[in-house]
């Protein structure tokens, strides 16, 4: 199947999932709309990205030389989402809950929903970045270059951030957990971007510290647009609810404003994870994987 046919077929499939998911949420208030919504949205955004840039993440993974990269992405994304969303968010901290979820629904979530969400946010970022390129053409200085030792340290700090919520188990207390839960999302950014830097790629953090307005605005806009649309639809669908959040009295449409703030590192981490997978795939395909590890 050529890429043109692939993207038109995927667009049709995406709409077949997206449209019913919106109907089920807005009209029937169905609390299991989001998996179909995330999957359909990803395929729609993927098609738009392909039309704009002639490339997309679906086309990338569809190429047979990159299919092992998708397997790695699936494992990492599902593992991270299971730990942070379910073990930390639902069980450990009790910050949110999933309405009417049974075991089969959680399996569906970690097999389909979260991977679709991450790929959808990545495609939304690419579309926003493409649209904004001309606007911020003169405000993009060269990225700051950090050493591999810096990135090794960044990965180490990121791992510590990912483990930080476990203090609730050690000390048998949930005090401040609603604030500490921001740490795992930041940790994902640090681990993904740091590993990309160690493997010789161009981590997003270099563009951020370099004052690249295009990257900064694109990430923030991706988070705000993704959060606004998703959280608004959930008002009708009610698939999840927030139980314990920072500053719970500061809300927008009864949604804690802290939720929108938390979307920024969540989206940043999602984009950085896909970027890492593509970098690791490049290193492996160039047969420099072992050489790269030995050099560090």
């Amino acid at each position: 199947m050529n890429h043109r046919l692939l993207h038109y077929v995927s667009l049709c499939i995406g709409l077949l999932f997206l449209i019913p998911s919106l109907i089920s949420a807005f009209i029937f208030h169905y609390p299991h709309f989001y998996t179909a919504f995330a999957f359909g949205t990803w395929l729609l955004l993927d098609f738009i990205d392909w039309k704009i840039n002639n490339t997309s993440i679906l086309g990338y993974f569809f190429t047979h030389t990159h299919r092992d990269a998708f397997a790695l992405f699936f494992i990492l994304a599902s593992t991270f989402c299971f730990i942070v969303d379910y073990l930390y968010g639902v069980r450990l901290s009790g910050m949110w809950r999933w309405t009417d979820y049974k075991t089969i629904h959680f399996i569906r979530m970690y097999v389909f929903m979260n991977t679709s969400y991450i790929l959808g946010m990545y495609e939304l970022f690419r579309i926003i970045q493409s649209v904004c390129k001309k606007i911020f053409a003169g405000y993009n200085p060269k990225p700051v270059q950090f050493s591999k030792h810096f990135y090794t340290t960044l990965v180490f700090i990121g791992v510590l951030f990912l483990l930080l919520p476990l203090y609730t188990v050690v000390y048998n207390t949930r005090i401040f957990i609603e604030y500490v839960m921001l740490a795992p999302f930041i940790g994902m950014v640090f681990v993904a971007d740091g590993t990309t830097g160690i493997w010789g790629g161009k981590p997003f953090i270099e563009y951020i510290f370099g004052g690249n307005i295009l990257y900064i605005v694109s990430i923030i806009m991706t988070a705000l647009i993704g959060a606004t649309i998703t959280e608004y639809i959930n008002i009708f669908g009610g698939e999840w609810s927030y139980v314990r959040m920072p500053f719970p009295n500061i809300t927008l449409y009864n949604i804690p404003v802290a939720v929108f703030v938390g979307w920024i590192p969540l989206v940043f981490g999602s984009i950085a994870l896909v970027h890492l997978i593509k970098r690791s795939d490049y290193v492996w395909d160039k047969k420099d994987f072992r050489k790269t590890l030995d050099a560090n």
Side-chain angles (χ1 to χ4, degrees), residues 18-269:
L18 178 59
I19 295 173
S21 73
L22 294 174
I23 294 173
S24 68
F26 285 119
I27 298 178
F28 299 104
H29 307 289
Y30 182 57
H32 294 287
F33 75 93
Y34 193 67
T35 298
F37 174 80
F39 182 68
T41 300
W42 163 44
L43 293 182
L44 173 61
L45 294 173
D46 190 273
F47 178 81
I48 297 173
D49 182 22
W50 172 72
K51 292 293 288 185
I52 293 174
N53 299 306
N54 202 35
T55 60
S56 75
I57 193 63
L58 177 62
Y60 179 86
F61 284 141
F62 186 78
T63 304
H64 74 278
T65 56
H66 302 310
R67 289 174 189 171
D68 53 346
F70 178 78
L72 177 60
F73 163 75
F74 176 81
I75 293 171
L76 291 179
S78 297
T79 301
F80 174 80
C81 291
F82 174 74
I83 292 173
V84 176
D85 179 89
Y86 183 73
L87 293 184
Y88 285 1
V90 176
R91 304 292 297 179
L92 199 64
S93 67
M95 289 184 65
W96 52 78
R97 68 182 183 88
W98 293 90
T99 306
D100 194 31
Y101 260 51
K102 298 178 175 60
T103 301
I104 187 63
H105 300 120
F106 282 108
I107 293 174
R108 180 193 62 193
M109 176 194 294
Y110 301 116
V111 173
F112 297 108
M113 180 198 295
N114 291 309
T115 52
S116 297
Y117 165 81
I118 291 173
L119 294 174
M121 289 301 103
Y122 177 77
E123 289 292 15
L124 180 59
F125 168 78
R126 278 175 53 91
I127 292 168
I128 292 173
Q129 187 181 47
S130 298
V131 172
C132 292
K133 273 183 180 179
K134 292 183 179 180
I135 301 175
F136 300 106
Y139 302 91
N140 299 310
K142 292 182 179 180
V144 176
Q145 292 186 342
F146 295 107
S147 68
K148 290 185 178 180
H149 293 294
F150 170 85
Y151 285 117
T152 302
T153 304
L154 192 67
V155 170
F156 177 74
I157 295 173
V159 171
L160 292 181
F161 275 26
L162 287 170
L163 297 175
L164 196 56
L166 292 177
Y167 82 89
T168 58
V169 177
V170 176
Y171 297 103
N172 194 28
T173 178
R174 288 184 175 182
I175 188 171
F176 301 130
I177 186 61
E178 61 267 37
Y179 302 95
V180 174
M181 271 296 292
L182 189 65
F185 298 104
I186 298 175
M188 181 182 177
V189 176
F190 285 179
V191 171
D193 243 17
T195 306
T196 298
I198 291 172
W199 286 350
K202 297 298 295 182
F204 286 101
I205 197 170
E206 292 188 357
Y207 294 94
I208 302 300
F209 276 88
N212 190 301
I213 302 299
L214 175 62
Y215 276 77
I216 296 172
V217 170
S218 297
I219 289 173
I220 293 176
M221 286 185 64
T222 301
L224 292 180
I225 292 173
T228 301
I229 294 175
T230 301
E231 299 296 343
Y232 177 74
I233 298 173
N234 188 59
I235 292 175
F236 299 89
E239 186 156 349
W240 61 87
S241 60
Y242 298 103
V243 180
R244 179 174 182 167
M245 299 297 293
F247 313 109
N249 295 325
I250 305 176
T251 63
L252 182 64
Y253 296 106
N254 291 323
I255 303 169
V257 172
V259 170
F260 296 94
V261 176
W263 266 71
I264 297 176
L266 174 60
V267 166
F268 194 171

